[in-house]
């Protein structure tokens, strides 16, 4: 297994690189809870199937506490540099962002030039884009800037309290210019690969996380 951890440039956060010889590159920003072993294993499996994968743990890179609010402190320009470095590889670039990691990823996408943004596809896994969530009330969503031309897929576990808010989230992203689609992940909860008491189905799907991401890369809006 060929794995290296380094910064592409001095001003970019450390990330774990899983090289591959295919023409796809996935930049995978894990959640505020930090990088997990199932994600590392999935990244290696993706590389084995030709998808170069850069696994990015933002809270660790910036020495931040493992809290959702920490993602709001990540400098968008660092991610802009990372996205441009990925696109400079000549490969077809997609980004996966888990939970609150959606915030710095979308802010970085909004800061790209329009042509750069149109070449990008973002997969958001149960994204946390809320400003404030009140019990029994529709949430307010963050405005991250212009997403004109950005292709956004939302991967939403069915067994999530946020699933009823999905239509509002998609409308919010579309109003910022994104081209949206969604996939419902049946019989799964948020963070199913790292839960303390997973179901048998969730354990099986944790081992197949690479297949799920590869399917969405090839068959969804990221192709």
């Amino acid at each position: 297994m060929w794995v290296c951890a380094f910064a592409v440039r001095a001003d970019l956060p450390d990330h774990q690189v899983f090289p591959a010889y295919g023409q796809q590159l996935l930049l995978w920003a894990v959640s505020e809870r930090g990088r997990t072993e199932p994600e590392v294993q999935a990244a290696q499996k993706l590389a084995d199937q030709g998808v170069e994968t850069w696994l990015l743990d933002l809270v660790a890179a910036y020495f931040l506490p493992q809290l959702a609010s920490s993602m709001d402190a990540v400098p968008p320009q660092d991610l802009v540099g990372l996205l441009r470095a990925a696109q400079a590889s000549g490969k077809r670039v997609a980004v996966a962002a888990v939970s609150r990691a959606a915030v710095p990823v979308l802010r970085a996408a909004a800061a790209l030039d329009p042509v750069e943004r149109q070449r990008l596809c973002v997969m958001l896994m149960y994204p946390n884009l809320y400003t404030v969530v009140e019990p029994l009330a529709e949430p307010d969503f963050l405005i991250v800037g212009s997403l004109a031309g950005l292709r956004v897929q939302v991967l939403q576990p069915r067994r999530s309290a946020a699933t009823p808010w999905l239509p509002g989230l998609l409308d919010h992203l579309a109003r910022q210019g994104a081209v949206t689609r969604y996939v419902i992940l049946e019989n799964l909860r948020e963070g199913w690969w790292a839960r303390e008491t997973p179901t048998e189905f969730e354990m099986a799907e944790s081992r197949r996380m690479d297949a799920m991401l590869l399917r969405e890369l090839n068959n969804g809006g990221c192709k």
Side-chain angles (χ1 to χ4, degrees):
M1 181 173 69
W2 181 19
V3 179
C4 55
F6 64 99
V8 175
R9 290 203 321 259
D11 59 335
L12 298 180
D14 290 343
H15 57 282
Q16 200 170 5
V17 175
F18 298 79
Y21 293 106
Q23 293 306 304
Q24 289 180 312
L25 191 157
L26 177 66
L27 196 157
W28 183 349
V30 304
S31 82
E32 60 274 9
R33 295 187 177 184
R35 184 167 44 212
T36 65
E37 186 57 29
E39 289 169 312
V40 173
Q41 293 174 0
Q44 181 58 54
K45 289 179 182 178
L46 285 169
D48 292 342
Q49 296 170 84
V51 180
E52 181 165 333
T53 304
W54 299 2
L55 197 59
L56 183 61
D57 185 342
L58 292 169
V59 293
Y62 292 98
F63 305 102
L64 298 169
Q66 291 185 336
L67 300 171
S69 58
S70 293
M71 288 293 184
D72 299 359
V74 174
Q77 284 305 316
D78 284 0
L79 280 179
V80 169
L82 192 58
L83 290 170
R84 286 176 172 157
Q87 291 186 332
S89 71
K91 298 188 178 188
R92 188 166 70 251
V93 177
V95 183
V98 184
S99 190
R100 194 68 174 185
V103 172
V105 164
L106 290 180
R107 284 174 172 165
L112 291 173
D113 295 334
V115 173
E116 295 171 321
R117 193 185 309 124
Q118 290 173 4
R119 293 166 51 200
L120 192 65
C121 176
V122 176
M123 296 189 294
L124 304 178
M125 299 177 68
Y126 57 92
N128 176 352
L129 294 174
Y130 315 121
T131 53
V132 178
V133 177
E134 298 290 344
L136 305 179
E138 289 288 327
D140 290 327
F141 297 104
L142 287 167
I143 295 175
V144 297
S146 175
L147 301 177
L150 182 69
R151 290 166 292 158
V152 176
Q153 299 187 70
V154 177
L155 310 182
Q156 181 62 42
R158 173 74 74 184
R159 298 177 61 193
S160 165
T163 299
W165 300 335
L166 180 60
L169 170 66
L170 296 172
D171 288 346
H172 175 73
L173 292 170
R175 285 195 298 271
Q176 293 177 84
V179 179
T180 64
R181 68 183 296 272
Y182 71 92
V183 175
I184 295 294
L185 305 177
E186 299 291 350
N187 300 313
L188 293 176
R189 295 172 291 175
E190 296 179 357
W192 69 89
W193 60 89
R195 300 189 75 92
E196 292 184 1
T197 56
T199 65
E200 289 187 10
F201 182 78
E202 287 172 332
M203 288 189 289
E205 287 301 293
S206 296
R207 296 189 291 269
R208 293 193 292 261
M209 190 156 39
D210 62 301
M212 181 268 290
L213 289 170
L214 190 60
R215 180 183 68 241
E216 298 309 320
L217 282 171
N218 291 333
N219 299 332
C222 287
K223 190 171 183 180

